[in-house]
Amino acid sequence: MFRYIGSKSSTSANISSLISDMIGVGTVADAFGGLGTIGAELRKHGHRVTTCDVLNFPHSFQIARIEGKAKLPFLQLRDQAGLSSMQEIQDQLNTTKAPRSWIVQEYSQQRKFFTHDNALAIAGAWHQIKRWHEAGALTRRETALLITSLLNSMDSVANTAGTYYAHLKTFHRKALKPFRFEWFPVVGGRYVGKALRGDALSCLQGKNFDVLYLDPPYNERNYASYYHLPESMSLLQRPKTNPERASGMPVGVRPGASSIRDGMTMGYLEKLASNIGWKWLIVHYCDGALIPLTTMRDSLRHFGTVQELTLPALGYTTHKIARTINHHVFVVSAATRSSSRSLCHA
């Protein structure tokens, strides 16, 4: 699975069980959806899920996991390219090479993000998907599944310590494994959810859900910079890069960076809680994050009686040894909101 800071893969089952115990089956909004890990777990258990993110590459994962299916028809691709099954599409992508691609030149020859052979194969698959997309042979969900599958397969052979902010000086053993395009394992669920791209407040304000789940960024890492290559590839565009920068990061301000910074503040979380309708509010946070836990507790009390749970979880690490941290899950019921506010203003 693609390594992503804050993916919540180690706690997704706990969060899903908590929500199911609270509401049975209902509507859930994941305002900071990331790779859709929490949303996919909720969808699997019968909830109607809405997710959003400001970056396109996690948005692609969300479309595949929240809206998509494990098997899609690819009807236009069958007509235009004569590929009659997902296996034939996979075979096509695994046999196409692109030796003159910018991916090969900039991220294999100039920088050691991939071995030469893997870069040829990754570039071949990317350019083929781009051609199909530009020819109108793919639906939105088909494009998302192809991009998600490519990025997930690519990440398994990337010569990085976990993000694309830098590459390792020598090729790690995982980077020496041959690249192979594999379909991303979409689990699906009873209902088709909604994956929205944009600022959470703009996407969700005025809407009503049984549960509003907030899992904001914990630190000042710039996701747009840390995952610049997957982001560029998901947009099916060649980025303009500075050849002198070791990271190969695109030139200029990355779209979405300011929205990510906003999500790190308590004021923004309060706006979300005030402008989105919910019966239950769940805020997922961890020790040592930007917003002090005392500030989080005091602020959430304005919205109702707060119940606080603690979950042991695996923290993000670039080492073999797992790093365990405490996650705090704050639960607020809308039923206690008015009485809590009257006490606060008394």
Side-chain angles (χ1 to χ4, degrees), residues 138-199:
L138 301 172
T139 66
R140 173 176 176 270
R141 292 174 185 172
E142 289 167 353
T143 300
L145 180 58
L146 284 165
I147 290 296
T148 298
S149 300
L150 173 60
L151 296 180
N152 195 60
S153 301
M154 177 187 83
D155 195 60
S156 67
V157 297
N159 190 40
T160 65
T163 75
Y164 290 79
Y165 196 75
H167 59 77
L168 301 177
K169 293 181 179 179
T170 58
F171 284 113
H172 189 272
R173 62 179 179 275
K174 78 157 188 170
L176 296 174
K177 296 178 181 179
F179 168 83
R180 180 169 175 78
F181 178 94
E182 299 285 353
W183 289 110
F184 186 88
V186 176
V187 175
R190 181 178 179 183
Y191 299 109
V192 174
K194 294 181 180 179
L196 309 175
R197 185 186 175 196
D199 167 72

Side-chain angles (χ1 to χ4, degrees), residues 321-338:
I321 301 174
R323 183 170 69 92
T324 302
I325 59 175
N326 284 327
H327 281 203
H328 298 263
V329 180
F330 300 92
V331 181
V332 184
S333 169
T336 64
R337 192 185 309 188
S338 58

